Amino acid sequence: MMKKWMLLLVAFTALPLCAQQAFEVAYETSSYTYREPDGNTPIRLKGRMQGASLRYENRVQESAFFFALDGRWMGGTTDYNGWLNTTPPTSHKFDDIGDYYYEGRLHLGNVLDLSQSVQVWLSTGLAYRYLKDHLNKDPYGYLRESNYVYMPFTGELRLKGGVWECALRGEFDYLLVGWQNSHMTTGKLRHDQHEGYGLRVSTKLQVNLDGKKTGLFVEPFYRYWNIRDSQERGGYMEPHNTTKEIGLRAGLTF
């Protein structure tokens, strides 16, 4: 597996030498909240996440076309606040549940050079997100796996002035298909989801260390998912849910 990744990296860096390439590596930390807000028994998972992200960006020189690859891994613990399926429902809490997620994304787009110091980057692409909730640590819970395949539509305004750069980014994520695997005591259930969207906004501030490409940056961000009810299967369904993540990225670009 490592050899495959090394060959992939070599292939990208061996693209035309006239291309403008950039790499980015960052540490991320965030406050994470998952909710199922509807009905008489809403639930919440809330905690902190931290992890790392990577981005490779390639703009073909003398053209407006660019493509980018990015990915991240985030993990942490959350506290469950919800209900037990009793008659009547009984409130229930359980702390320190291990969660993690990762995602990989491909972006294709164009750059609008408004001036030497102002650019607009527009793109769309394809992405995959996987989330694992270890709710089975709770005697009343079960392991959950969440999968999203979606299209990101991104707009970014980049401003350059001397050694400083600023980027304002907004994104709309259109869910193509999602599915939830619930590992219950009676077996695994899969619930398909076909309606949902995500939103992302961030502001990146960067200082260039050598006056060219190497720089340090910080980037506060907000990420949001809103997924509608799944199809019913086995007498169960995955209910409407939202995920909010507020955090900070900090890293190096070169």
Side-chain angles (χ1 to χ4, degrees), residues 60-217:
V60 179
Q61 204 164 10
E62 299 180 356
S63 82
F65 174 75
F66 81 94
F67 73 89
L69 294 169
D70 66 55
R72 65 179 34 84
W73 183 94
M74 297 285 282
T77 58
T78 57
D79 299 333
Y80 174 88
N81 205 321
W83 302 82
L84 297 179
N85 189 22
T86 59
T87 306
T90 306
S91 61
H92 177 66
K93 296 182 180 181
F94 194 86
D95 294 342
D96 298 328
I97 297 169
D99 296 338
Y100 72 85
Y101 77 84
Y102 60 79
E103 61 182 354
R105 294 144 52 92
L106 168 66
H107 308 268
L108 304 171
N110 285 323
V111 181
L112 306 178
D113 293 301
L114 302 184
S115 70
Q116 289 186 342
S117 59
V118 181
Q119 296 177 329
V120 176
W121 294 57
L122 302 173
S123 67
T124 186
L126 189 64
Y128 170 73
R129 178 181 184 266
Y130 172 84
L131 169 72
K132 193 169 189 176
D133 289 331
H134 286 277
L135 289 168
N136 54 318
K137 290 186 176 181
D138 184 341
Y140 299 98
Y142 53 89
L143 182 68
R144 296 174 68 252
E145 295 176 291
S146 172
N147 301 266
Y148 298 162
V149 177
Y150 63 95
M151 290 184 66
F153 296 88
T154 305
E156 183 175 354
L157 175 64
R158 298 188 182 184
L159 309 173
K160 300 180 180 180
V163 298
W164 293 95
E165 295 186 20
C166 179
L168 307 175
R169 181 181 296 173
E171 179 176 306
F172 174 81
D173 297 324
Y174 176 74
L175 182 71
L176 295 174
V177 62
W179 64 96
Q180 304 285 331
N181 292 325
S182 301
H183 298 263
M184 309 181 75
T185 56
T186 55
K188 184 176 77 172
L189 289 177
R190 169 173 166 151
H191 294 95
D192 295 331
Q193 297 168 306
H194 298 286
E195 296 184 50
Y197 67 92
L199 300 172
R200 304 186 187 203
V201 293
S202 68
T203 302
K204 179 181 176 183
L205 184 62
Q206 176 176 316
V207 57
N208 295 319
L209 302 179
D210 57 5
K212 296 182 180 180
K213 291 178 64 175
T214 305
L216 295 174
F217 68 88

Side-chain angles (χ1 to χ4, degrees), residues 7-16 21 23 56 58 67 69 106:
L7 290 173
L8 186 60
L9 180 61
V10 170
F12 280 121
T13 56
L15 289 169
Q21 302 180 78
F23 293 89
Y56 170 76
N58 186 302
F67 73 89
L69 294 169
L106 168 66

Side-chain angles (χ1 to χ4, degrees), residues 26-46:
Y27 165 79
E28 301 192 9
T29 181
S30 68
S31 172
Y32 176 93
T33 305
Y34 169 89
R35 294 180 184 272
E36 294 176 4
D38 300 340
N40 297 322
T41 56
I43 73 166
R44 183 189 72 183
L45 282 165
K46 186 173 183 179

